[in-house]
Amino acid sequence: LCRKKPPRELGFLSERKDRSLGPHPPVSLPLQFWELDRLDNYNDTSLVENHLCPATEGPLMASFKAVFVPVAYSLIFLLGVIGNVLVLVILERHRQTRSSTETFLFHLAVADLLLVFILPFAVAEGSVGWVLGTFLCKTVIALHKVNFYCSSLLLACIAVDRYLAIVHAVHAYRHRRLLSIHITCGTIWLVGFLLALPEILFAKVSQGHHNNSLPRCTFSQENQAETHAWFTSRFLYHVAGFLLPMLVMGWCYVGVVHR
């Protein structure tokens, strides 16, 4: 268990007062600590780290992570690439006869490949820090968000498609139906890109305030506009990427079960 630092060292009085400063920023791959903006109530104008646990790790945990994380991510990378590529090859071979659900699965496999391809960057960042520049920093974070949004929305579309086919027995003209499916998938990719715009605009490489800390690819919060953009990103992340798709899938599958 992590011990709280004394109030004099942290610069604030209690955990309750720390929570009044706002929600804690997200944790990216690999795990990293984010920092709060300047606090007007204190004389110290430097940024205060927003965590209660010490940033340093013991030698045992550090050595374990140095071995386990690369091995686990490498295994996930290999299995993810092989599995999703096989899905894409099989569905592409049956392109003329595949159903609407299989079309959604095709796009879902493409979205999953985006997540798989950023895993090597996460391993490299955890080992030597982010050394690939700002452009790739924005690209990798944006791909991660696009994967998240598109995967969630595509799963919701699959649920709606199954609901219409089972509960309402919708059988439309095949060419027109497949055309609407492709338009839906294109719209989902566009929405995923638009929802990832805060990361594209405000992600950057930042150097930690500890002497031995490594540079990280993070969502910048150095001024008021960037802080507001971060809150917007978190709101979209939870609402558009989780809550709405979950409600749609729950409503559709409950209707299928009742049917």
Side-chain angles (χ1 to χ4, degrees):
L1 295 177
C2 300
R3 296 179 298 177
K4 296 181 180 179
K5 294 183 179 181
R8 176 179 300 176
E9 188 175 354
L10 279 175
F12 41 82
L13 298 179
S14 63
E15 183 179 359
R16 183 176 181 181
K17 188 171 183 179
D18 175 54
R19 291 179 180 176
S20 65
L21 298 176
H24 292 283
V27 181
S28 60
L29 290 173
L31 293 178
Q32 56 185 293
F33 294 112
W34 293 58
E35 295 179 342
L36 290 173
D37 199 355
R38 180 174 303 178
L39 301 178
D40 296 331
N41 294 333
Y42 303 97
N43 295 327
D44 186 7
T45 58
S46 62
L47 293 174
V48 179
E49 291 181 351
N50 188 19
H51 62 86
L52 296 179
C53 300
T56 58
E57 297 175 344
L60 182 61
M61 179 60 68
S63 59
F64 173 77
K65 289 177 63 176
V67 176
F68 175 77
V69 172
V71 171
Y73 281 16
S74 300
L75 182 62
I76 296 173
F77 176 81
L78 292 176
L79 295 178
V81 170
I82 295 174
N84 287 287
V85 168
L86 286 176
V87 171
L88 294 176
V89 170
I90 294 173
L91 293 178
E92 185 62 27
R93 286 185 177 181
H94 301 83
R95 182 177 183 178
Q96 300 301 325
T97 59
R98 68 189 183 196
S99 64
S100 57
T101 300
E102 291 170 343
T103 302
F104 285 127
L105 290 175
F106 181 89
H107 288 268
L108 183 62
V110 175
D112 290 340
L113 280 176
L114 296 181
L115 176 64
V116 172
F117 287 147
I118 68 175
L119 291 179
F121 295 96
V123 175
E125 183 182 14
S127 301
V128 298
W130 190 266
V131 295
L132 300 176
T134 303
F135 177 77
L136 280 179
C137 170
K138 294 177 180 291
T139 302
V140 170
I141 290 186
L143 287 179
H144 178 236
K145 285 301 181 69
V146 170
N147 156 261
F148 175 77
Y149 290 121
C150 290
S151 297
S152 300
L153 295 175
L154 286 169
L155 289 174
C157 289
I158 293 175
V160 172
D161 182 73
R162 291 296 84 204
Y163 174 80
L164 294 176
I166 297 174
V167 177
H168 296 285
V170 174
H171 299 286
Y173 181 59
R174 184 175 182 276
H175 176 72
R176 183 180 301 173
R177 179 170 173 78
L178 287 180
L179 179 61
S180 64
I181 296 299
H182 288 302
I183 294 176
T184 302
C185 292
T187 303
I188 289 176
W189 283 104
L190 178 60
V191 170
F193 173 79
L194 293 177
L195 293 176
L197 280 179
E199 281 71 22
I200 297 176
L201 296 176
F202 297 102
K204 71 173 188 177
V205 181
S206 60
Q207 181 68 42
H209 292 269
H210 297 283
N211 294 331
N212 58 348
S213 61
L214 300 174
R216 299 295 184 185
C217 177
T218 61
F219 196 114
S220 177
Q221 299 183 64
E222 295 181 352
N223 54 53
Q224 193 75 8
E226 293 175 346
T227 302
H228 289 163
W230 178 83
F231 278 111
T232 302
S233 174
R234 297 309 299 172
F235 177 80
L236 295 174
Y237 187 86
H238 292 292
V239 175
F242 175 74
L243 182 60
L244 292 180
M246 182 190 67
L247 293 177
V248 171
M249 287 186 283
W251 183 79
C252 291
Y253 288 127
V254 167
V256 170
V257 170
H258 281 297
R259 179 67 176 180

